[in-house]
Amino acid sequence: RNFEFGGAVSVSEKLLVLIVNDMVIFPNNEVRIEYDNTYDKQMIDIVDRIDDNLMLIVNPIEEDNVNVTSFPKYGVLGRLKLKMNVPNGKTRIVLEGLDRVEISSLVEEGNYFKASYNDIEIIETEDSKNYFNIIVKSLENYITKVPYMGNAIMSQLNGIDTLSDLCDLIVSFLPINYEDKKKYITTIDPIERAKYLIQDMNKDLKYAELEQRIEAEVEKELNDTQKEYFLREKIKLMQKELGEGNNKDSEVERLTKKVAKLKCSSKVKEKIKRELDRYDSLNSNSPEVGMIREYLDWMIHLPWNNYTNDTNDLNKVKSILDSSHYALEEVKDRILEYLAVKQNTNNLRSPIICLVGPPGVGKTSLAISIAKSLNRKTAKISVGGINDEAEIVGHRRTYIGANPGRIIQGIRKAGTTNPVFIIDEIDKMTKDIKGDPASSLLEVLDPEQNNKFSDHYIEEEFDLSKVMFIATANYVEQIPYELRDRLEIINISSYTEYEKLDIAKNHLIPKELEEHGLTSLQVQIADEAILTLIRNYTKEAGVRELERTIATLLRKIVKNLLLTNDVAFYNIDNDMIEELLGKKKYVYMETSSEDEVGVVNGMAYTAFGGDILPIEATLFKGKGDLVLTGSLGEVMQESCHIALNYIKANMDKFGIDSKTFEENDVHIHVPEGAVSKDGPSAGVTITTTLISLFANKKVSRDVAMTGEITLRGRVLGIGGLKEKVIGSHRAGIKKIFIPTENEKDLDEIPDDIKKDIKFIAVNNYKVG
């Protein structure tokens, strides 16, 4: 061979051996390494204290169970140039490879290996110079054809004049694996190393040329289907090399099986398959992957054709509804009618019902009971305060964080295509620059459209025609008209005292006794005591506060039982109620103790039920002015002016002198001035109050009246008659004047109240 090298030139002292895995350090090369294990950090500290900072760098033949026999014959003499402790607990070092050396002896001392070495003398020959030129030209060609090799290496060739140094420099840049790089350290002959280097560069060139040729041929020859297949296979292979392919492949396979089993239309299935193909083709690091995966999850888990069978036994449905809710016959009859017609025809659209009533009367719980009685799943959303239409119809998929609307979300949670879907607080939606959610509900609640409901996120039609929608609202007037037109509105009025009494005895008290660990043998509450709770410790249309009050009462009893360690029997009467719950919270308006001039009982309807509303008027010297007090709203103030002007226009019929109006001021007052009052239904009462005042005639204290009055004296109908009559009955009223239009509402009033009160229907205000 045209290569010569001398033997051992010098024998060194024993140096510490630094074992390096997964990295090869070449002569005339610097590397940066971080260590966090105690063994290496201690060894670096020892080297750092040596004057010349020298060590032997060795790549072991076998990395597991390293011992004396695991070391190769050659290594690299290195110097520690820099050592720095970084805040994360690691030690960062800079190592400089000085020269390739022969390991002459190796021993294990304590926890470390130490070795002595011989320098290797390499003599350049003519062949070395020829190979030097060949390597440089090969490198230039390699850089131009291999895209991932930069030309920065060319600037570092200026100071190199030996083949050995040239090979060491180039191979340190070459993207070859660890095992192949190790052979460059153990090969002493630079010409042999040059041959290895040429082989490795040519191998990379062949791969690069092959890839370019394949891409050219693919672009030229493959049709669209073959091209797509080729690209997918290529991506899969690359992902597999990166360790990313297996998980995604298995997930795609799992999703494909789910799609095959999915019960949906062919159009929807085709859409899901297209998205699944997109998902399969994308790189795992693409930002679209998560968005498509979320979309696929929604599409696969929606109950496209998953139904539950309705209960066919109407008696069973009726018994479930009766056991869960007292009264409310109208809504119960509507559900039974729906089931009866459905059984008779086997094809009927689900009704879209809206339950309207005060808070606490059981609208939402009734809807849940309807679902239970029909054997259907329940979905529930609250639209109170929603001002963004995307909350109903979903966000478009182009937005980050997009989601379907609440309708589709509720359907998915229910897991069936025909649940009972409760839309709470439909009268409390708001409209602003973000859109009009009420208009977005039109498609949902319109029986003619909802069989093809389109959510912006899902982008496919979903059939909502089998869903039984039940909306709830407190005030029918606040429901947008376009929605109201599509709803079957059922009014749920406030409970009467006697209905509350039955609810408390049959539902609330047994439930609270069980929750507090008591029995009906230990605690009994008299009917009069329950009525006291209803009248004086609660003020509501429903029974929520009543339930809380009963719970408070039983808590105090449980506390007393445990403090006294006594198994006492509690028979709760009115006196004990005040002893346990304190003074009465609410006192309803009561009639006057005697008949008076200028005082007439009106009838009020509030969110808490009904009550009487005495209206007072007085006369004093003045200029004919009208003074109004008592927090009267605009409509009620208008009623006062209408009543006064009607009396002025008909003063001869009422036997009133005109000077009474000219020389006196009139003051009308409605007690409890801190409470706002409004509405036209006090018109008749105000008129009677003023006539009593002007004619100086007393009005019976056990008479109440309600009705709107016009300037011509006509009496118009009013709302809330049931609640007003109940409140008047509680106050001791014996006779009530009502508008003729409201005679039909008397059917709603309980018989035990109607037998105590005489009702007189009027349609015009006449002199009596």
Side-chain angles (χ1 to χ4, degrees), residues 729-740:
H729 179 264
R730 181 178 52 236
I733 298 297
K734 302 299 181 183
K735 183 188 293 184
I736 297 178
F737 290 87
I738 63 170
T740 304

Side-chain angles (χ1 to χ4, degrees), residues 57 92 121 134 262 265 355 403 432 469 522 554 567 577 623 699 708:
I57 304 170
R92 185 177 299 165
E121 184 179 4
I134 292 171
L262 199 61
S265 67
L355 304 177
N403 267 314
D432 63 10
F469 286 100
Q522 292 175 286
L554 296 182
V567 186
I577 289 287
K623 300 178 181 179
V699 178
E708 180 180 356

Side-chain angles (χ1 to χ4, degrees), residues 15 45-54 79-80:
L15 296 179
D45 289 339
I46 295 172
V47 174
D48 190 40
R49 292 196 292 270
I50 301 172
D51 291 339
D52 51 9
N53 302 127
L54 294 177
R79 173 180 287 119
L80 178 66

Side-chain angles (χ1 to χ4, degrees), residues 533-551:
L533 288 177
I534 294 167
R535 292 171 178 170
N536 303 118
Y537 291 89
T538 64
K539 194 171 187 179
E540 58 177 345
V543 290
R544 282 182 189 156
E545 192 177 355
L546 177 60
E547 184 174 8
R548 290 193 294 268
T549 305
I550 292 170

Side-chain angles (χ1 to χ4, degrees), residues 291 297 480 611 643:
M291 296 170 63
D297 185 63
D611 200 357

